[in-house]
Amino acid sequence: MKVAIMGKGAMGHVLSAMVEEKDGFQLAGAVEPLNGEKLEDLGEVDVVIDFSHPANLPAVAEYCRSNGVPAVLATTAYGDAEMEIVRELATQVPVVFSANYSLGINVIRRVLAEITPVLESAFDIEIVEKHHNKKLDSPSGTAMMLLNAVDPEGEYEHVFGREGNRKRGKEIGIHAIRGGTIAGEHEVIFAGTDEIISIKHNADSKKIFAAGALKAAEFVQKAGVGYYTMEEVLFG
């Protein structure tokens, strides 16, 4: 499988190295739009993986659409406009999109969806995420993904950080910490009377995200046209 990578940032470098090491994969090339490089400059491509910036999405979508190439989209901080592009692209080629490609995070997401209906009537729910001081978006896309897992119908008030004096209502607190070189930590806390359940995930290396993206690439190359998440990649 010949993989094209959009972006030559930290994740782009990690992903490129892992592609070259993995059996059955070949690096078609990595491109950096800031340097004037384009996906069209590459030769044969079987799948595009984008870990770059939302501004590059239109170029990725146009290339994949024009060449019938599946896409694995791993860029965070997509807004409504970007998600519209993603869903439109998925009507023409296979697309996998996830806010987090860690296998562990995606297993946790599935677990949260199962246990929250059992716990929610007796437990308060809080989400805490930590990232390095260069991360721009807050809260993280992963925190929002976990929030959606515990509150899929939007039945709770979402409180982003807290200050002042107020009684707790039917709410979920989401808290973001930025500092140092923290690769990524996410914790969902269920706090009840005399007991606490904490489900936590630590990312110690960017390799875990690249590994998940390569698993998604294997999936999307064989999939039919459509929009997929890591739920389909991992659990069918």
Side-chain angles (χ1 to χ4, degrees):
M1 181 192 311
K2 296 181 179 179
V3 178
I5 298 170
M6 173 63 83
K8 291 184 178 179
M11 273 305 309
H13 286 298
V14 170
L15 187 57
S16 294
M18 291 186 67
V19 167
E20 292 182 324
E21 294 171 359
K22 188 172 177 62
D23 290 341
F25 282 75
Q26 181 180 340
L27 184 63
V31 300
E32 177 51 70
L34 293 177
N35 297 335
E37 300 167 357
K38 300 179 180 179
L39 290 167
E40 287 81 1
D41 298 333
L42 305 178
E44 183 180 347
V45 172
D46 295 316
V47 61
V48 174
I49 303 179
D50 181 11
F51 264 105
S52 61
H53 188 277
N56 295 326
L57 177 61
V60 172
E62 177 57 31
Y63 174 83
C64 291
R65 185 184 302 111
S66 299
N67 295 277
V69 175
V72 174
L73 303 176
T75 301
T76 59
Y78 282 166
D80 292 342
E82 286 80 17
M83 288 308 301
E84 185 176 343
I85 293 174
V86 172
R87 295 192 178 278
E88 173 62 25
L89 178 62
T91 65
Q92 300 173 69
V93 300
V95 174
V96 175
F97 170 74
S98 179
N100 190 308
Y101 279 83
S102 156
L103 303 187
I105 280 288
N106 282 280
V107 169
I108 286 175
R109 183 189 181 283
R110 190 175 177 91
V111 169
L112 290 172
E114 291 289 331
I115 68 172
T116 299
V118 179
L119 300 174
E120 60 183 350
S121 63
F123 288 76
D124 296 321
I125 307 171
E126 297 282 300
I127 299 173
V128 181
E129 59 99 342
K130 306 175 185 178
H131 282 90
H132 52 84
N133 57 20
K134 292 182 173 57
K135 185 171 179 62
L136 300 179
D137 58 312
S138 174
S140 68
T142 301
M144 298 306 293
M145 182 174 79
L146 298 179
L147 175 63
N148 184 64
V150 298
D151 186 26
E153 302 300 327
E155 298 175 352
Y156 288 79
E157 178 186 0
H158 300 162
V159 180
F160 296 93
R162 287 195 180 85
E163 63 179 355
N165 299 309
R166 56 172 283 173
K167 292 183 65 176
R168 183 184 181 96
K170 185 174 181 179
E171 63 189 52
I172 298 173
I174 305 97
H175 312 278
I177 296 170
R178 297 288 177 267
T181 58
I182 302 171
E185 297 180 13
H186 293 85
E187 182 177 15
V188 180
I189 302 166
F190 294 86
T193 301
D194 300 327
E195 61 180 331
I196 297 173
I197 300 171
S198 174
I199 300 178
K200 186 176 182 180
H201 179 271
N202 289 351
D204 295 328
S205 166
K206 295 182 184 297
K207 290 181 179 180
I208 65 172
F209 309 119
L214 294 184
K215 194 171 189 68
E218 291 176 315
F219 171 89
V220 80
Q221 193 192 26
K222 301 174 183 177
V225 172
Y227 176 90
Y228 304 95
T229 68
M230 286 298 282
E231 180 79 10
E232 288 81 22
V233 173
L234 297 180
F235 305 109

Short mmCIF file of all heavy atoms in Angstrom, two decimals, residues 99-137:
data_model
loop_
_atom_site.label_atom_id
_atom_site.label_comp_id
_atom_site.label_asym_id
_atom_site.label_seq_id
_atom_site.Cartn_x
_atom_site.Cartn_y
_atom_site.Cartn_z
N ALA A 99 -11.16 12.02 15.91
CA ALA A 99 -10.44 13.04 16.65
C ALA A 99 -9.21 12.45 17.35
O ALA A 99 -8.32 13.18 17.77
CB ALA A 99 -11.35 13.68 17.69
N ASN A 100 -9.18 11.11 17.46
CA ASN A 100 -8.05 10.45 18.13
C ASN A 100 -7.93 9.04 17.56
O ASN A 100 -8.90 8.27 17.58
CB ASN A 100 -8.28 10.42 19.64
CG ASN A 100 -7.05 9.98 20.41
OD1 ASN A 100 -6.47 8.94 20.12
ND2 ASN A 100 -6.66 10.77 21.38
N TYR A 101 -6.74 8.69 17.09
CA TYR A 101 -6.52 7.38 16.48
C TYR A 101 -5.88 6.38 17.43
O TYR A 101 -5.57 5.25 17.03
CB TYR A 101 -5.68 7.52 15.21
CG TYR A 101 -6.53 7.93 14.03
CD1 TYR A 101 -6.85 9.26 13.81
CD2 TYR A 101 -7.05 6.99 13.16
CE1 TYR A 101 -7.66 9.65 12.76
CE2 TYR A 101 -7.86 7.36 12.09
CZ TYR A 101 -8.16 8.69 11.90
OH TYR A 101 -8.97 9.06 10.86
N SER A 102 -5.72 6.74 18.69
CA SER A 102 -5.21 5.79 19.68
C SER A 102 -6.19 4.64 19.85
O SER A 102 -7.40 4.86 20.02
CB SER A 102 -5.02 6.50 21.02
OG SER A 102 -5.08 5.59 22.10
N LEU A 103 -5.69 3.43 19.82
CA LEU A 103 -6.57 2.27 20.01
C LEU A 103 -7.16 2.29 21.42
O LEU A 103 -8.34 1.96 21.62
CB LEU A 103 -5.77 0.97 19.78
CG LEU A 103 -5.09 0.83 18.41
CD1 LEU A 103 -4.50 -0.57 18.28
CD2 LEU A 103 -6.07 1.09 17.28
N GLY A 104 -6.35 2.70 22.40
CA GLY A 104 -6.82 2.75 23.78
C GLY A 104 -7.96 3.72 23.98
O GLY A 104 -8.96 3.40 24.64
N ILE A 105 -7.84 4.91 23.42
CA ILE A 105 -8.90 5.92 23.55
C ILE A 105 -10.19 5.43 22.92
O ILE A 105 -11.29 5.62 23.47
CB ILE A 105 -8.47 7.25 22.89
CG1 ILE A 105 -7.54 8.03 23.83
CG2 ILE A 105 -9.68 8.10 22.53
CD1 ILE A 105 -8.22 8.63 25.05
N ASN A 106 -10.09 4.76 21.80
CA ASN A 106 -11.30 4.31 21.13
C ASN A 106 -11.96 3.13 21.86
O ASN A 106 -13.19 3.00 21.82
CB ASN A 106 -10.99 3.95 19.68
CG ASN A 106 -10.87 5.20 18.82
OD1 ASN A 106 -11.86 5.78 18.41
ND2 ASN A 106 -9.64 5.64 18.56
N VAL A 107 -11.18 2.33 22.54
CA VAL A 107 -11.75 1.29 23.40
C VAL A 107 -12.45 1.94 24.59
O VAL A 107 -13.55 1.55 24.99
CB VAL A 107 -10.68 0.30 23.86
CG1 VAL A 107 -11.22 -0.62 24.96
CG2 VAL A 107 -10.19 -0.54 22.68
N ILE A 108 -11.80 2.97 25.18
CA ILE A 108 -12.40 3.69 26.31
C ILE A 108 -13.72 4.33 25.90
O ILE A 108 -14.71 4.31 26.64
CB ILE A 108 -11.43 4.75 26.85
CG1 ILE A 108 -10.31 4.07 27.64
CG2 ILE A 108 -12.15 5.78 27.73
CD1 ILE A 108 -9.22 5.02 28.11
N ARG A 109 -13.75 4.91 24.72
CA ARG A 109 -14.98 5.53 24.24
C ARG A 109 -16.12 4.51 24.22
O ARG A 109 -17.25 4.81 24.64
CB ARG A 109 -14.77 6.10 22.84
CG ARG A 109 -15.98 6.83 22.29
CD ARG A 109 -15.81 7.17 20.82
NE ARG A 109 -16.98 7.90 20.33
CZ ARG A 109 -18.15 7.33 20.03
NH1 ARG A 109 -18.30 6.02 20.16
NH2 ARG A 109 -19.16 8.07 19.60
N ARG A 110 -15.84 3.32 23.75
CA ARG A 110 -16.86 2.28 23.69
C ARG A 110 -17.30 1.87 25.11
O ARG A 110 -18.49 1.67 25.37
CB ARG A 110 -16.32 1.07 22.94
CG ARG A 110 -17.38 0.02 22.61
CD ARG A 110 -16.75 -1.07 21.76
NE ARG A 110 -17.67 -2.14 21.45
CZ ARG A 110 -18.44 -2.20 20.38
NH1 ARG A 110 -18.40 -1.21 19.50
NH2 ARG A 110 -19.23 -3.24 20.17
N VAL A 111 -16.33 1.77 26.03
CA VAL A 111 -16.64 1.42 27.41
C VAL A 111 -17.53 2.48 28.06
O VAL A 111 -18.51 2.16 28.75
CB VAL A 111 -15.34 1.24 28.23
CG1 VAL A 111 -15.64 1.15 29.72
CG2 VAL A 111 -14.58 0.00 27.77
N LEU A 112 -17.21 3.76 27.83
CA LEU A 112 -18.00 4.85 28.40
C LEU A 112 -19.44 4.81 27.93
O LEU A 112 -20.37 5.05 28.71
CB LEU A 112 -17.37 6.20 28.03
CG LEU A 112 -16.03 6.53 28.70
CD1 LEU A 112 -15.45 7.79 28.09
CD2 LEU A 112 -16.19 6.69 30.20
N ALA A 113 -19.63 4.52 26.67
CA ALA A 113 -20.99 4.45 26.14
C ALA A 113 -21.79 3.34 26.80
O ALA A 113 -23.01 3.44 26.96
CB ALA A 113 -20.95 4.23 24.63
N GLU A 114 -21.09 2.28 27.24
CA GLU A 114 -21.77 1.16 27.88
C GLU A 114 -22.08 1.43 29.34
O GLU A 114 -23.17 1.08 29.84
CB GLU A 114 -20.88 -0.09 27.77
CG GLU A 114 -20.74 -0.65 26.37
CD GLU A 114 -22.01 -1.31 25.85
OE1 GLU A 114 -22.79 -1.83 26.67
OE2 GLU A 114 -22.23 -1.29 24.63
N ILE A 115 -21.16 2.06 30.07
CA ILE A 115 -21.33 2.16 31.52
C ILE A 115 -22.06 3.41 31.97
O ILE A 115 -22.66 3.41 33.05
CB ILE A 115 -19.96 2.09 32.25
CG1 ILE A 115 -19.12 3.34 31.95
CG2 ILE A 115 -19.22 0.82 31.88
CD1 ILE A 115 -17.85 3.40 32.79
N THR A 116 -22.06 4.47 31.17
CA THR A 116 -22.69 5.71 31.60
C THR A 116 -24.18 5.56 31.92
O THR A 116 -24.63 6.08 32.95
CB THR A 116 -22.48 6.82 30.56
OG1 THR A 116 -21.07 7.05 30.39
CG2 THR A 116 -23.14 8.12 31.01
N PRO A 117 -24.97 4.85 31.12
CA PRO A 117 -26.39 4.70 31.47
C PRO A 117 -26.61 4.03 32.82
O PRO A 117 -27.62 4.28 33.49
CB PRO A 117 -26.94 3.84 30.32
CG PRO A 117 -26.05 4.13 29.17
CD PRO A 117 -24.68 4.27 29.78
N VAL A 118 -25.66 3.19 33.25
CA VAL A 118 -25.78 2.51 34.54
C VAL A 118 -25.42 3.44 35.69
O VAL A 118 -26.02 3.38 36.77
CB VAL A 118 -24.86 1.26 34.56
CG1 VAL A 118 -24.94 0.56 35.92
CG2 VAL A 118 -25.21 0.31 33.44
N LEU A 119 -24.47 4.35 35.45
CA LEU A 119 -23.91 5.16 36.54
C LEU A 119 -24.51 6.57 36.65
O LEU A 119 -24.48 7.17 37.73
CB LEU A 119 -22.39 5.31 36.33
CG LEU A 119 -21.57 4.01 36.32
CD1 LEU A 119 -20.12 4.33 35.97
CD2 LEU A 119 -21.65 3.30 37.66
N GLU A 120 -25.04 7.11 35.58
CA GLU A 120 -25.33 8.54 35.54
C GLU A 120 -26.31 9.03 36.59
O GLU A 120 -26.23 10.19 37.03
CB GLU A 120 -25.81 8.95 34.15
CG GLU A 120 -27.07 8.25 33.69
CD GLU A 120 -27.46 8.63 32.27
OE1 GLU A 120 -26.85 9.58 31.73
OE2 GLU A 120 -28.36 7.99 31.70
N SER A 121 -27.23 8.20 37.04
CA SER A 121 -28.21 8.67 38.02
C SER A 121 -27.61 8.86 39.41
O SER A 121 -28.17 9.60 40.23
CB SER A 121 -29.39 7.70 38.10
OG SER A 121 -28.96 6.43 38.57
N ALA A 122 -26.48 8.23 39.69
CA ALA A 122 -25.90 8.29 41.03
C ALA A 122 -24.50 8.90 41.07
O ALA A 122 -23.91 9.03 42.14
CB ALA A 122 -25.86 6.88 41.64
N PHE A 123 -23.97 9.29 39.92
CA PHE A 123 -22.60 9.79 39.85
C PHE A 123 -22.55 11.11 39.07
O PHE A 123 -23.24 11.26 38.06
CB PHE A 123 -21.68 8.78 39.14
CG PHE A 123 -21.38 7.55 39.95
CD1 PHE A 123 -22.32 6.54 40.09
CD2 PHE A 123 -20.14 7.38 40.56
CE1 PHE A 123 -22.05 5.40 40.82
CE2 PHE A 123 -19.85 6.24 41.29
CZ PHE A 123 -20.81 5.25 41.43
N ASP A 124 -21.73 12.04 39.57
CA ASP A 124 -21.41 13.24 38.80
C ASP A 124 -20.29 12.88 37.81
O ASP A 124 -19.44 12.04 38.11
CB ASP A 124 -20.93 14.36 39.72
CG ASP A 124 -22.02 14.82 40.67
OD1 ASP A 124 -23.19 14.89 40.24
OD2 ASP A 124 -21.70 15.11 41.84
N ILE A 125 -20.29 13.56 36.66
CA ILE A 125 -19.33 13.23 35.61
C ILE A 125 -18.47 14.45 35.29
O ILE A 125 -19.00 15.55 35.08
CB ILE A 125 -20.04 12.76 34.33
CG1 ILE A 125 -21.01 11.62 34.64
CG2 ILE A 125 -19.02 12.33 33.27
CD1 ILE A 125 -21.90 11.25 33.46
N GLU A 126 -17.16 14.26 35.27
CA GLU A 126 -16.21 15.31 34.91
C GLU A 126 -15.19 14.75 33.93
O GLU A 126 -14.83 13.57 33.98
CB GLU A 126 -15.48 15.83 36.15
CG GLU A 126 -16.37 16.48 37.20
CD GLU A 126 -16.78 17.89 36.80
OE1 GLU A 126 -15.90 18.74 36.63
OE2 GLU A 126 -18.00 18.13 36.66
N ILE A 127 -14.71 15.60 33.03
CA ILE A 127 -13.68 15.22 32.06
C ILE A 127 -12.51 16.18 32.19
O ILE A 127 -12.69 17.40 32.18
CB ILE A 127 -14.22 15.25 30.62
CG1 ILE A 127 -15.39 14.26 30.47
CG2 ILE A 127 -13.11 14.94 29.61
CD1 ILE A 127 -16.09 14.34 29.13
N VAL A 128 -11.31 15.64 32.33
CA VAL A 128 -10.09 16.45 32.45
C VAL A 128 -9.12 16.01 31.36
O VAL A 128 -8.86 14.81 31.18
CB VAL A 128 -9.42 16.28 33.82
CG1 VAL A 128 -8.17 17.15 33.92
CG2 VAL A 128 -10.40 16.61 34.95
N GLU A 129 -8.62 16.98 30.60
CA GLU A 129 -7.61 16.65 29.58
C GLU A 129 -6.39 17.54 29.74
O GLU A 129 -6.50 18.71 30.12
CB GLU A 129 -8.21 16.75 28.19
CG GLU A 129 -8.78 18.10 27.80
CD GLU A 129 -7.85 18.94 26.94
OE1 GLU A 129 -6.64 18.66 26.91
OE2 GLU A 129 -8.35 19.90 26.31
N LYS A 130 -5.21 16.97 29.44
CA LYS A 130 -3.95 17.69 29.55
C LYS A 130 -3.15 17.51 28.26
O LYS A 130 -3.07 16.41 27.72
CB LYS A 130 -3.13 17.15 30.72
CG LYS A 130 -3.84 17.15 32.06
CD LYS A 130 -2.98 16.48 33.13
CE LYS A 130 -3.72 16.35 34.44
NZ LYS A 130 -2.89 15.65 35.48
N HIS A 131 -2.55 18.61 27.78
CA HIS A 131 -1.70 18.56 26.60
C HIS A 131 -0.53 19.52 26.73
O HIS A 131 -0.50 20.37 27.62
CB HIS A 131 -2.51 18.90 25.34
CG HIS A 131 -3.37 17.76 24.86
ND1 HIS A 131 -4.66 17.58 25.29
CD2 HIS A 131 -3.11 16.75 23.98
CE1 HIS A 131 -5.17 16.51 24.71
NE2 HIS A 131 -4.26 15.98 23.91
N HIS A 132 0.40 19.41 25.81
CA HIS A 132 1.60 20.24 25.76
C HIS A 132 1.23 21.71 25.52
O HIS A 132 0.12 22.04 25.08
CB HIS A 132 2.54 19.75 24.66
CG HIS A 132 1.86 19.61 23.33
ND1 HIS A 132 1.68 20.66 22.46
CD2 HIS A 132 1.29 18.53 22.73
CE1 HIS A 132 1.05 20.26 21.38
NE2 HIS A 132 0.80 18.96 21.51
N ASN A 133 2.20 22.58 25.79
CA ASN A 133 1.93 24.02 25.73
C ASN A 133 1.84 24.58 24.31
O ASN A 133 1.56 25.77 24.13
CB ASN A 133 2.97 24.79 26.54
CG ASN A 133 4.40 24.53 26.08
OD1 ASN A 133 4.63 24.09 24.95
ND2 ASN A 133 5.36 24.79 26.95
N LYS A 134 2.04 23.75 23.31
CA LYS A 134 1.92 24.23 21.93
C LYS A 134 0.58 23.86 21.29
O LYS A 134 0.30 24.26 20.15
CB LYS A 134 3.08 23.68 21.08
CG LYS A 134 4.43 24.26 21.46
CD LYS A 134 5.54 23.72 20.57
CE LYS A 134 6.86 24.43 20.84
NZ LYS A 134 7.29 24.32 22.23
N LYS A 135 -0.24 23.12 22.00
CA LYS A 135 -1.54 22.74 21.44
C LYS A 135 -2.46 23.95 21.43
O LYS A 135 -2.62 24.63 22.44
CB LYS A 135 -2.17 21.61 22.25
CG LYS A 135 -3.47 21.09 21.64
CD LYS A 135 -3.96 19.83 22.35
CE LYS A 135 -5.27 19.32 21.78
NZ LYS A 135 -5.16 18.95 20.35
N LEU A 136 -3.08 24.23 20.28
CA LEU A 136 -3.85 25.45 20.11
C LEU A 136 -5.31 25.30 20.52
O LEU A 136 -5.88 26.20 21.13
CB LEU A 136 -3.77 25.91 18.64
CG LEU A 136 -2.37 26.23 18.11
CD1 LEU A 136 -2.45 26.65 16.65
CD2 LEU A 136 -1.70 27.32 18.94
N ASP A 137 -5.93 24.18 20.15
CA ASP A 137 -7.37 24.05 20.40
C ASP A 137 -7.63 23.57 21.84
O ASP A 137 -6.84 22.82 22.42
CB ASP A 137 -8.02 23.10 19.40
CG ASP A 137 -7.39 21.71 19.40
OD1 ASP A 137 -6.15 21.64 19.36
OD2 ASP A 137 -8.13 20.71 19.44
#
